[in-house]
């Protein structure tokens, strides 16, 4: 059983690490949002933008170091990775919003279930694109 679990972990290591290292930015995004709204009385859009930005920076740092093991060392290379990473996150945010609109507003499906489905599809998109586009030089190295 132990060998089977170790084999499973080795096969899906990058994805498992991606999911685990996605927890802190998610907590920061949601927690920061509610703290900024409730304690500091920020407008929702500003609280959302600030908490999303902080979570984005933290996820970039965690993913590049611990998940995809980036070897970029120069400021130019790291900035280039960050721009690609941010672009993908913005794209997936728009994709998730579009899916929520389609599933819930147009098709009138269950709000909770299909919000979770849209978020899952967005996260899967982020993982695939991060692995093969953002940190592509290191995709095989972290396997």
């Amino acid at each position: 059983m132990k060998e089977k679990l170790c084999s499973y972990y080795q096969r899906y290591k990058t994805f498992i690490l991606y999911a685990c290292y996605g927890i802190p930015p998610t907590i920061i995004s949601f927690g920061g949002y509610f703290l900024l709204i409730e304690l500091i009385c920020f407008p929702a859009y500003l609280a959302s933008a600030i908490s999303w930005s902080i979570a984005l920076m933290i996820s970039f740092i965690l993913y590049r170091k611990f998940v995809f093991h980036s070897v970029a060392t120069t400021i130019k290379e790291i900035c280039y990775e960050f721009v690609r990473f941010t672009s993908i996150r913005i794209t997936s945010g728009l994709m998730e919003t579009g899916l929520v609109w389609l599933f819930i507003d147009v098709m009138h499906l269950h709000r909770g279930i299909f919000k979770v489905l849209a978020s899952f599809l967005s996260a899967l998109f982020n993982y695939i694109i991060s692995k093969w586009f953002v940190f592509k030089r290191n995709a095989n190295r972290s396997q």
Side-chain angles (χ1 to χ4, degrees):
M1 178 69 161
K2 183 179 177 182
E3 289 131 15
K4 192 172 187 177
L5 285 174
C6 288
S7 172
Y8 178 80
Y9 175 75
Q10 287 304 315
R11 184 171 182 187
Y12 299 105
K13 179 180 178 181
T14 305
F15 185 76
I16 292 167
L17 290 173
Y18 185 85
C20 290
Y21 281 105
I23 294 170
T26 302
I27 291 170
I28 289 166
S29 181
F30 282 94
Y33 172 77
F34 288 111
L35 285 174
L36 290 171
I37 285 179
E38 298 297 326
L39 296 180
I40 306 177
C41 299
F42 275 34
Y45 74 91
L46 187 57
S48 180
I50 291 169
S51 62
W52 181 83
S53 298
I54 293 169
L56 174 84
M57 289 185 275
I58 290 170
S59 62
F60 174 74
I61 292 165
L62 292 173
Y63 291 151
R64 82 176 296 275
K65 181 174 174 87
F66 298 111
V67 178
F68 298 109
H69 308 287
S70 175
V71 294
T73 55
T74 68
I75 297 296
K76 183 179 178 180
E77 290 174 324
I78 294 168
C79 286
Y80 187 61
E81 282 182 345
F82 183 73
V83 167
R84 288 186 293 179
F85 186 82
T86 302
S87 298
I88 296 308
R89 294 302 163 125
I90 290 169
T91 301
S92 69
L94 292 172
M95 179 185 85
E96 181 175 335
T97 302
L99 288 172
V100 166
W101 172 78
L102 176 66
F103 292 151
I104 298 166
D105 294 334
V106 174
M107 299 173 71
H108 305 288
L109 300 172
H110 190 275
R111 289 184 308 210
I113 292 171
F114 285 91
K115 167 61 176 161
V116 170
L117 178 62
S119 295
F120 174 78
L121 292 172
S122 176
L124 185 61
F125 173 80
N126 283 332
Y127 169 74
I128 292 167
I129 298 300
S130 290
K131 182 173 181 173
W132 297 109
F133 178 67
V134 176
F135 304 106
K136 65 182 176 181
R137 290 173 292 170
N138 309 311
N140 292 329
R141 184 172 176 227
S142 64
Q143 296 273 328

